[in-house]
DNA sequence: AATTTGCCTTGATACAGATCAAAGAATCAT
DNA sequence: ATGATTCTTTGATCTGTATCAAGGCAAATT
């Protein structure tokens, strides 16, 4: 899910890989050549079109995977159709849980997605034999858990305006290129409806809050899916989070 | 957090331990004698009175621990005092994250709590050298992640009535003694205010929903902190969850 | 036993965000 | 290009839950 990154998280050195360098960053930062060769030998690629469901809830998990390209969402749906997104997968994020046969949510591609997949039994064997991969996966799970808990605070206690501000700030942090990342044009990736499902709101409320933040000069839209942050300080003020770096995305 | 347990989760055999058997179930199901001895040698006990803060957010983590007795909560607080509980720790649950210096939430004892603590650096050394402990900790983290995601659906999309019904059903499942666990007297452990912080509600709404469920004959209170489930089918109906066992607590 | 204190319940009212509705953009298909 | 479809915006209204307020009960203290 990767919403939250500690500032002092250990830096993972990128590792050369002809086809999908990103994968090794996600799965393993310290594999030796033999292990990398093993990973190579059990990997396959899969691609999904925007809107495709990658995995249905309850479906047996045949593979674990790393996102190479695109954006996928994790979501839960109630009987009557209410849905809640419970995670966002960006490149380098990991799908699947060694030791688990099933997942408890749907995974859907919001744009075209490429996955680097590893056969689950073989991957699990590798995990069993390679302690630092198990450790790395635990760290990934703990990162996701931190992110999930930040999101619980958002869902349970934040106002619509704070939710939207938090969401935008997260996107700004993630997509900032330079050190001084404001004024970059940021891609929204999702529809208003999907954002609403992420934030526990309706699409109309999302739209209204975007309009309000634009009117107040905090952000500016170049088109429906692209915007710039005009006043990053004001934006941070609106998130409701502590001013100090308690929550760092 | 341990809210959700998969029915098909691998059964962890209890391991004999003179002082805190529960700990070994939490940390490790397959340790050999040498490893257990190592664990023994780095453990200490700490106790906390009801209401004590066990760990403040941001505080450096000196130990990791396993809950031996009592109930503790994980919570996040906003500048203006709004708080959201993001986890519940019951006996056998684990506190702390190997590889992490800090935690991002407060840990508070709601009743008297006994922890079995392990010095963090020493524990991490053990994790590094013992692959199956890392695996076990990853499984614990994944269980918590599943629970956190169920809670996200609750916080983002459920009505007050559904939230309360879900909460009660969770308690009922956890504290049921016999196979046919209904009609047991269930202990609420927490105040209305704490429940409200868990469910993203106010204490008045919690109180009103309890009263409503009692009036409708779904539950019955013997006193403020103790109740019985009078109609388990109706209760499950009210949670909004799928009738089939999608979510199993 | 009386008093304090900390929860808890219930009522009245307010309001944020949901819902219902309709008209504008943008994208897609023909 | 043209029409169809899908997404977005904006307005009007409704409603579930928060907020404000007052009193009740039970455990703890004197």
């Amino acid at each position: 899910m990767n919403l939250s990154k500690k500032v002092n998280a250990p830096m993972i050195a990128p590792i050369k890989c002809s086809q999908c360098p990103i994968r090794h960053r996600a799965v393993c930062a310290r594999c030796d050549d033999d292990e990398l060769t093993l990973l190579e030998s059990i990997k396959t690629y899969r691609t999904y079109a925007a809107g495709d469901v990658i995995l249905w809830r309850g479906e047996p998990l045949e593979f674990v995977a790393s996102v190479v390209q695109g954006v996928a969402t994790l979501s839960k749906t109630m009987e009557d159709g209410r849905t809640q997104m419970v995670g966002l997968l960006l490149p380098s994020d990991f799908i699947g849980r060694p030791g688990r046969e099933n997942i408890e949510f749907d995974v859907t591609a919001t744009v075209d997605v490429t996955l680097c997949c590893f056969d689950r039994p073989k991957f699990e064997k590798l995990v069993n034999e390679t302690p630092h991969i198990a450790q790395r996966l635990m760290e990934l799970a703990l990162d996701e858990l931190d992110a999930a808990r930040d999101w619980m605070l958002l869902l349970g206690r934040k106002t619509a305006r704070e939710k939207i501000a938090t969401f935008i700030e997260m996107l700004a942090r993630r997509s900032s290129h330079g050190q001084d990342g404001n004024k970059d044009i940021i891609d929204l990736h999702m529809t208003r409806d999907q954002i609403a499902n992420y934030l526990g709101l309706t699409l109309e409320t999302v739209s209204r809050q975007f309009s309000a933040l634009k009117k107040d000069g905090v952000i500016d839209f170049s088109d429906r899916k692209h915007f710039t942050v005009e006043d990053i300080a004001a934006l941070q003020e609106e998130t409701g989070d502590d001013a100090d770096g308690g929550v760092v995305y």
Side-chain angles (χ1 to χ4, degrees), chain A:
Chain A
M1 192 151 130
N2 201 20
L3 297 174
S4 148
K5 284 283 174 226
K6 296 294 135 328
V7 267
N8 58 357
M11 191 57 201
I12 307 299
I15 292 181
K16 47 149 196 19
C17 169
S18 50
Q19 289 168 285
C20 57
I22 243 162
R23 188 202 72 209
H24 300 305
R25 179 175 160 268
V27 172
C28 175
R30 296 187 294 271
C31 287
D32 65 26
D33 284 344
D34 285 354
E35 287 155 6
L36 285 182
T37 305
L38 239 166
L39 275 172
E40 287 294 323
S41 73
I42 63 172
K43 88 179 182 192
T44 54
Y45 290 91
R46 295 181 195 228
T47 59
Y48 301 84
D52 282 1
V53 174
I54 297 172
L55 292 165
W56 291 105
R57 167 184 166 188
E59 209 175 45
L61 267 178
E62 282 161 24
F63 54 85
V64 299
S66 187
V67 177
V68 175
Q69 206 174 58
V71 180
T73 62
L74 316 181
S75 61
K76 288 179 162 266
T77 302
M78 295 172 68
E79 297 164 284
D80 62 3
R82 280 175 284 174
T83 77
Q84 176 64 51
M85 273 173 58
V86 296
L88 198 58
L89 294 172
L90 298 188
S92 94
D93 285 340
F94 190 76
I95 303 178
R97 29 255 328 268
R100 290 295 182 73
E101 303 278 326
N102 304 288
I103 49 171
E104 288 301 313
F105 39 76
D106 302 322
V107 182
T108 312
T110 53
V111 297
D112 292 356
V113 165
T114 306
L115 298 184
C116 177
C117 303
F118 306 94
D119 178 68
R120 196 167 65 82
K122 285 181 189 152
F123 186 82
E124 283 175 14
K125 190 156 167 288
L126 188 64
V127 172
N128 289 341
E129 293 163 355
T130 319
H132 64 258
I133 293 189
Q135 269 180 263
R136 176 69 186 136
L137 290 173
M138 183 189 70
E139 281 166 26
L140 286 176
L142 289 175
D143 282 345
E144 286 192 69
L145 198 50
D146 279 346
R149 283 172 169 155
D150 285 338
W151 222 244
M152 285 167 74
L153 175 63
L154 176 143
L155 292 172
R157 292 301 183 199
K158 288 191 178 180
T159 64
R161 179 138 175 150
E162 288 168 339
K163 286 177 175 181
I164 294 287
T166 305
F167 176 70
I168 290 175
E169 206 222 354
M170 180 194 80
L171 288 182
R173 281 197 193 263
R174 285 189 151 197
S175 41
S176 74
H177 303 119
Q179 294 296 75
D180 177 47
N182 55 346
K183 295 292 180 120
D184 283 341
I185 291 177
I186 295 166
D187 193 334
L188 217 42
H189 293 301
M190 315 178 206
T191 65
R192 301 290 185 269
D193 189 49
Q194 290 171 326
I195 296 168
N197 284 335
Y198 199 17
L199 299 175
L201 297 170
T202 60
L203 67 97
E204 293 94 334
T205 299
V206 171
S207 178
R208 277 185 244 274
Q209 295 298 335
F210 276 149
S211 300
L213 284 174
K214 178 177 176 171
K215 186 168 78 60
D216 296 345
V218 180
I219 55 174
D220 194 37
F221 279 88
S222 46
D223 68 51
R224 289 171 167 188
K225 287 264 171 68
H226 298 270
F227 67 93
T228 54
V229 175
E230 298 297 312
D231 186 346
I232 189 109
L235 182 65
Q236 269 157 351
E237 201 57 38
E238 299 275 6
T239 63
D241 291 327
D242 276 12
D244 79 13
V247 179
V248 183
Y249 294 96

